[in-house]
Amino acid sequence: MKRRPLIAGNWKMHLTIGEAESLARAIARGGIPADRDAMLAPPYTAMAAVNKALQGSSMLLASQNNGWEEKGAFTGEISPVMLKDVGCSMAIIGHSERRHIFGESDQLINKRLSGALKYGLVPILCIGETLEEREANQTFKVLETQLRGGLTGVASSEADKLVIAYEPVWAIGTGKTASEDQVQEVHAFLRTLLKKMYEKDIASQIRILYGGSVKPDNVDVLMSREDVDGALVGGAALQAESFIRIIHFNQ
Ligand code: PEP
């Protein structure tokens, strides 16, 4: 089954409004081939300016996290309705920095994901094992717990909208990329698991991205593997030249 590739850039807590606006413009000028999707997740403060800068481009806008209620007394949270209002169509959820720095649990991540789906944002559920877990042969067990925990209560009828991002914690921002064999092995495992959780034809439509030090010089080989449907990119999305090259993988 052919899935439409998605190249997603996560700017994390970087860039002022002006910096974000000019980087978004520069990236958009690079163009996006018609056979793939590309997406940027700026900091909240720059969202409106980036949305404006992307007018006329097919670049999608995403949040780096989201709350699950429309509005209310949730200091510090951001409503999925507000995110849609500012132009977001996707939401990164359960990023390893949310899990490991801010202690977000699978239960909390599941609430965020359900809120995203309820209000029409496409969730990108991030999962990944630490180095200790990999070395203790716990990778598949950890990933299964995170996947099932994050997707609790998500029906087959909604599952076709999901995107999963496999991001081994030891590869994020470290310059260490998982080998393409390691990535393919995990993605194939996740695809099999999704087929157990959802109807087969739905599960085979779900895009599984890889994230962890994706760069211009390793994206082509990663994207040539069967179950790798895209990339979630941190550091290399902060420079127009490298992100444009990643968007144009295998061209
Ligand atoms: C990320 O932020 O999800 C990420 C994968 O970062 P980097 O590409 O810098 O490793």
Side-chain angles (χ1 to χ4, degrees), residues 10 12 95 167 171-173 211-214 232-235:
N10 173 16
K12 310 192 185 193
H95 190 276
E167 298 208 298
I172 299 177
S213 300
V214 174
L232 181 48
V233 184

Side-chain angles (χ1 to χ4, degrees), residues 1 19 47 110 136 165 171 178 180 182 216 221 225 244:
M1 155 118 209
E19 290 165 346
M47 216 56 112
N110 177 245
E180 65 266 25
Q182 283 173 321
V221 71
R225 300 306 294 256
I244 289 170

Side-chain angles (χ1 to χ4, degrees), residues 129-137 139 166 170 182 186:
E129 81 286 1
T130 63
L131 188 58
E132 298 73 57
E133 288 162 345
R134 176 163 279 268
E135 285 173 351
N137 286 322
T139 299
Y166 167 55
W170 48 272
Q182 283 173 321
V186 167

Side-chain angles (χ1 to χ4, degrees), residues 88-109:
C88 283
S89 58
M90 308 189 87
I92 297 173
I93 299 170
H95 190 276
S96 94
E97 287 144 22
R98 299 303 317 169
R99 293 176 186 270
H100 295 285
I101 304 176
F102 301 99
E104 293 202 4
S105 63
D106 287 324
Q107 202 185 9
L108 179 62
I109 287 162

Side-chain angles (χ1 to χ4, degrees), residues 189-206:
F189 166 78
L190 295 174
R191 178 84 53 211
T192 304
L193 199 52
L194 289 166
K195 284 185 180 161
K196 286 185 195 155
M197 295 166 66
Y198 299 109
E199 288 158 32
K200 276 207 181 79
D201 56 331
I202 305 266
S204 44
Q205 289 173 43
I206 299 175

Side-chain angles (χ1 to χ4, degrees), residues 1-4 117 147 151 154-164 190-208 227 229:
M1 155 118 209
K2 188 129 175 52
R3 290 170 290 268
R4 192 174 163 83
L117 282 173
L147 190 75
L151 298 181
V154 176
S156 248
S157 56
E158 293 179 305
D160 60 334
K161 299 181 193 80
L162 298 169
V163 178
I164 308 297
L190 295 174
R191 178 84 53 211
T192 304
L193 199 52
L194 289 166
K195 284 185 180 161
K196 286 185 195 155
M197 295 166 66
Y198 299 109
E199 288 158 32
K200 276 207 181 79
D201 56 331
I202 305 266
S204 44
Q205 289 173 43
I206 299 175
R207 290 180 287 186
I208 307 178
D227 287 292
D229 306 316

